[in-house]
Structures are given as structure tokens and as C-alpha cells.
Amino acid sequence: MRIPIHAVHPDTGEAEIIGWVHEVRDLGGLTFLLIRDRTGIIQVTIPKKKASESVLAAVKAVSRESVVRVSGPVKPIDKAPGGRELVPDSFEIISLSGSPMPLDVVEKVPADLDTRLDARFLDARRPRVSAVFQIRSTVTRSVYEFFFSRGFINITTPKVVAAATEGGTELFPIAYFEREAFLNQSPQLYKQMMMAAGFEKVFEIGPIFRAEEHNTTKHLNEATSIDMEVSFADHLEVMNILEDLVITTYKTVADQCGDQLSALEIPDLPVPEPGFPRLPYPEAIEIAKRTTGEDIKYGDDIGTVSEKAIGEEMGVHYFITDWPTEIKPYYAQPYEDDPSVCKAFDLMHPRMELSSGAQRVHRHDQLVHQIRAKGLSSDSFEFYLNPFRYGMPPHAGWGLGAERLVMTMLGLSNIREAVLFPRDRHRLVP
Ligand code: AMO
């Protein structure tokens, strides 16, 4: 019976493993192979004089990255990975790899990101790359558990839609029978409609599509959004939930992903401290102005340069609160005593924005007014506006970028490192 490579110990006795040939070294009388599966690497040692004819023939024929089944006694040995080696009684080639390969899995030859993404199936055999996606999987599980343990209902909303949600970015049009449709930018309108349905607490983890023209290290054209919406809650309550979720996710990864973090050379993942600072927008703008020396005014968006400058000053996760109503979407609820400021917030990592959210407008007439004030036509929002006429509770929510969460947690330099098959301006295959 096959056992995972990390579970093979010097006192295992006999073991059978199946994995990929990571490296082959022929030292004359001895041949060393490193065999790898997703859990680790083990040395397989073949003493030429003692090995059987069939083992020798298979070892001679095998190429790097072939899949092999090996069984035999396990012995302790100091210098090998994990302090053990397997001396095979049997060695079977299950699937022979061709050569040369499009990518060197052992990274003796460094490859640029494009080459790696073109051969992602080989790139992801690298322990470091595999570790990122194993951690991303743990992040996703942690987020599901977080929401379910707090009584949230998981929903799925359509990705093929008739109208835009967010201003600012363009939509991807698609042919939908005889009509034009679009790929959805955000589940925003649908999660709000489920508040009208009385679901009270909903969440969705799903794709969002943004036709961002520019190619940056933190934008994708298809991203994964962790979205939530809560009835009878204000912006402050959902900010607390967001802070809890981020901390819980870090803790889960720190507790459960020790091997993967080691592969990424992160011996101790620092878990953010509770009590993320809350920085009102006017103060954020002041910091940006002072530290960049640029002419930044109240009402300006916080661009990449400002974001970086404020992040360096803050040094930890923080919220930017109290945004000018003018630069936030129509669904953000203005303060009753000063409608020029709204109950919207952004959650920031020192490197970049992770999430946006707000308490929402829940009164129909006010929402129509705000949609028109943004120069949008309320006609195309009829399906969304209707629920606001028949008992819409007050509500608040946010959307958190899954890739940015993983990217900032692991210190990855490019968001594409956190996506298996990224979609950007130039990349549609594989
Ligand atoms: P927003 O547009 O700020 O808000 O998006 C929320 C979060 O989603 C991630 N994100 C992206 N990640 C990678 N590439 C992109 N092109 C991209 N676009 C967005 C970011 C961002 O902070 N409806 C609101 C949320 C809400 O109010 O509930 C919204 O979509 O991490």
C-alpha cells in the first residue's frame, strides 16, 4: 500500500511510495534518486552490486519527472532529506517523462513568470509553488468555516448579468443568444437582494470579472471575491467581522501549514494583532500629502503611490473610514449628520487594499437619488431597486480579494503567484 512520502520514517520498515523523479545522481557504484510527491521528498539509493536486474534496468531507463512506484526497506541515514533512505526491492516506471521539459522543476535554470505560467502543471510540481496553493486551499476552508460557524448562509449568484455593479472598471461583454450580456463585476446587487429575502447573513466565494486595461502586479481580470452581507448591522459591525476573519485565517494557516510555510521560508507567520487602526479618510490624505510631497486634495482617490506611503507609515493592517460620498459607489450610506461623508471603509494591508465595504442605503427613494447623482440610469437597475420597495432591512457588507489576501500573507511579489491560471490583458491560455 502506497504511503505519502512525508510519512516515511527510518523506523517505517518496508514502504511503498509513488512519486515523481526529482533528481538522479549516478556515482558509479551507487545511484541516488530523489522521489517527490506533494508531501515531500525521499532519497532512494540503489547499490549497483546488490540491486536486482529489474531494478537496475528500470533505473537506467527512467528520466527526470517520470512517475515511479518504488518499494523496499527504509533505513536511517544522516545526510538525506528527512534522515532516511529507501533501498528498492522493486522499481516500476508508471509513466515516463519526455525530455527536454518546457520547465526545469528543480529550478537549476531560473525561469521567468510567463514561462512558468505557460507550463503551470510543471511549475506547480515545485514544492514552493505547491505550498502557495495548499495554503490558499487552507485559507478558503478557514473562510468557509468562519462563516458557517457564525450562522451565515452560503449563496451562489449569477456571473452572467445584464448590468454593471461597480463604477470605475469596465465590463466584459459576452454574446448571450440575441442579447448582449456581461460577466459580473461583483455579487453586490444580488447579496443585497438576499437581505430583502430575509436571509440576514450571506456569503459567497466566487469569481469577479473586471476589464482593467492596465497590467499591474495586483490586478487580475478574473479574481476571486469573498463577499458577505449582514442585515441589521452597520459598517462598524461588519468591519469587526472582517478583522476577525483576517486574524482567524492567519491563525489557521500558522497552525496548520507548518510544512508549506517552511517551503516558502516563512518559519513564523506573524498573525495580525486585533484592533486594526481606523484611519479616517482626511487623515489618510494628510499622510499621503506629507510623505509623498504630492499635491493630494480631499476628494482625490487614494492611488497606488499614496496607498504605499500610508501603508509604510501605518505598518500593520488598518481601515480607511469616513470616505467622501462622492468617490464611493451609490450604494454606500451617507452619515445622517453630514451626507457628504459616507459609512464606507477599505481594509488595507500595508502593501495594498484588501477589501471594500459599507453600510448600504436601504431606502428606495434615497437609492434612486444616489444612482442618478452618479449619472447612472435607474431604469437598468429596476430588478435591484424593486426589492427596496417591499421591506428592505438596514444592512452592511464587504468584498475581500482572495488573491490579495494570500499574496500579502505570503509576501508574494505578484498577484499571479496566488492564482493557478491567471487571466490578464495578455493571458487567456492555459
Ligand atoms: P471592490 O471593487 O473594492 O468592492 O472590490 C473588493 C476587493 O476585491 C478585490 N479586487 C481585485 N483583486 C484583483 N484584481 C482585481 N481586478 C480586483 N478588483 C477587486 C480587491 C478589492 O479590495 N461590491 C464591492 C464590495 C462591497 O462593498 O461589498 C466591491 O466589489 O481586494
Side-chain angles (χ1 to χ4, degrees), residues 166 186 188 191 208 210 212 218-220 223 227 331 353-357 360 397-399 401 404 415:
E166 310 298 314
S186 159
Q188 183 68 33
K191 60 183 186 167
I208 56 170
R210 310 246 168 144
E212 320 260 6
K218 60 178 190 185
H219 288 94
L220 295 161
D227 263 277
Y331 49 73
E353 177 198 309
L354 296 183
S355 169
S356 296
R360 325 295 190 182
W398 44 255
R404 289 192 185 178
I415 195 164

Side-chain angles (χ1 to χ4, degrees), residues 9 20 62 86 93 95 103 106 109 127-128 148 190 196 201-202 218 220 274 279 306 331 339 398 410:
H9 295 294
W20 285 261
V62 81
L86 195 155
I93 300 173
S95 177
L103 190 77
V106 291
V109 188
R128 244 169 355 113
F148 284 133
Y190 294 92
K201 297 181 191 178
V202 300
K218 60 178 190 185
L220 295 161
L279 185 69
S306 301
Y331 49 73
W398 44 255
L410 303 180

Side-chain angles (χ1 to χ4, degrees), residues 37-242:
D37 69 11
R38 70 174 203 189
T39 70
I41 287 179
I42 188 168
Q43 177 173 301
V44 169
T45 305
I46 300 116
K48 285 199 186 143
K49 284 199 176 135
K50 292 189 199 151
S52 71
E53 285 296 316
S54 70
V55 168
L56 289 176
V59 169
K60 194 165 174 227
V62 81
S63 53
R64 273 174 49 202
E65 295 304 320
S66 298
V67 179
V68 295
R69 185 200 320 264
V70 186
S71 57
V74 179
K75 298 178 178 163
I77 174 170
D78 282 347
K79 282 181 201 147
R84 79 291 199 231
E85 66 175 359
L86 195 155
V87 182
D89 295 333
S90 90
F91 190 111
E92 178 194 346
I93 300 173
I94 293 178
S95 177
L96 194 64
S97 170
S99 62
M101 285 179 291
L103 190 77
D104 182 15
V105 175
V106 291
E107 289 181 273
K108 290 218 167 106
V109 188
D112 63 27
L113 187 57
D114 267 329
T115 311
R116 289 177 43 208
L117 292 174
D118 285 342
R120 196 53 145 168
F121 71 98
L122 283 176
D123 183 51
R125 287 185 192 177
R126 294 171 164 173
R128 244 169 355 113
V129 177
S130 172
V132 169
F133 293 101
Q134 291 181 51
I135 291 172
R136 182 169 166 165
S137 168
T138 299
V139 166
T140 306
R141 180 163 50 74
S142 175
V143 171
Y144 273 102
E145 283 169 3
F146 179 92
F147 282 125
F148 284 133
S149 70
R150 282 166 174 75
F152 279 74
I153 298 175
N154 180 227
I155 59 169
T156 38
T157 63
K159 305 307 156 205
V160 176
V161 296
T165 314
E166 310 298 314
T169 48
E170 293 297 311
L171 287 156
F172 284 115
I174 56 169
Y176 192 71
F177 304 107
E178 55 286 334
R179 276 188 292 168
E180 188 180 49
F182 303 97
L183 294 174
N184 206 7
Q185 294 172 315
S186 159
Q188 183 68 33
L189 309 187
Y190 294 92
K191 60 183 186 167
Q192 287 194 259
M193 284 195 277
M194 296 321 291
M195 297 298 98
F199 277 30
E200 292 193 21
K201 297 181 191 178
V202 300
F203 80 101
E204 173 169 19
I205 304 177
I208 56 170
F209 302 91
R210 310 246 168 144
E212 320 260 6
E213 288 282 345
H214 44 286
N215 235 335
T216 78
T217 53
K218 60 178 190 185
H219 288 94
L220 295 161
N221 293 115
E222 178 178 357
T224 308
S225 183
I226 301 165
D227 263 277
M228 65 86 94
E229 203 68 31
V230 184
S231 288
F232 316 114
D234 63 12
H235 56 305
L236 300 173
E237 289 171 76
V238 295
M239 282 162 74
N240 287 336
I241 298 176
L242 179 52

Side-chain angles (χ1 to χ4, degrees), residues 410-425:
L410 303 180
L412 307 175
S413 57
N414 192 317
I415 195 164
R416 291 163 185 76
E417 300 274 5
V419 195
L420 281 173
F421 301 103
R423 288 292 168 262
D424 64 29
R425 190 86 166 85

Side-chain angles (χ1 to χ4, degrees), residues 218 239 242 246 250 272 276-279 284 302-312 314-321 323 328 345-357 399-400 404-405 408:
K218 60 178 190 185
M239 282 162 74
L242 179 52
V246 170
Y250 270 75
F276 294 178
R278 281 135 202 241
L279 185 69
I302 295 183
T304 304
V305 176
S306 301
E307 189 176 271
K308 212 169 151 254
I310 305 165
E312 271 167 23
M314 299 302 289
V316 292
H317 285 83
Y318 64 101
F319 287 101
I320 302 180
T321 61
W323 286 76
K328 279 291 178 183
F345 57 84
D346 281 3
L347 172 67
M348 312 294 294
H349 177 276
R351 287 175 64 194
M352 73 190 75
E353 177 198 309
L354 296 183
S355 169
S356 296
L400 165 68
R404 289 192 185 178
L405 178 64
T408 50

Side-chain angles (χ1 to χ4, degrees), residues 1-14:
M1 249 273 283
R2 177 200 177 207
I3 57 174
I5 285 176
H6 82 110
V8 181
H9 295 294
D11 53 2
T12 308
E14 290 273 325

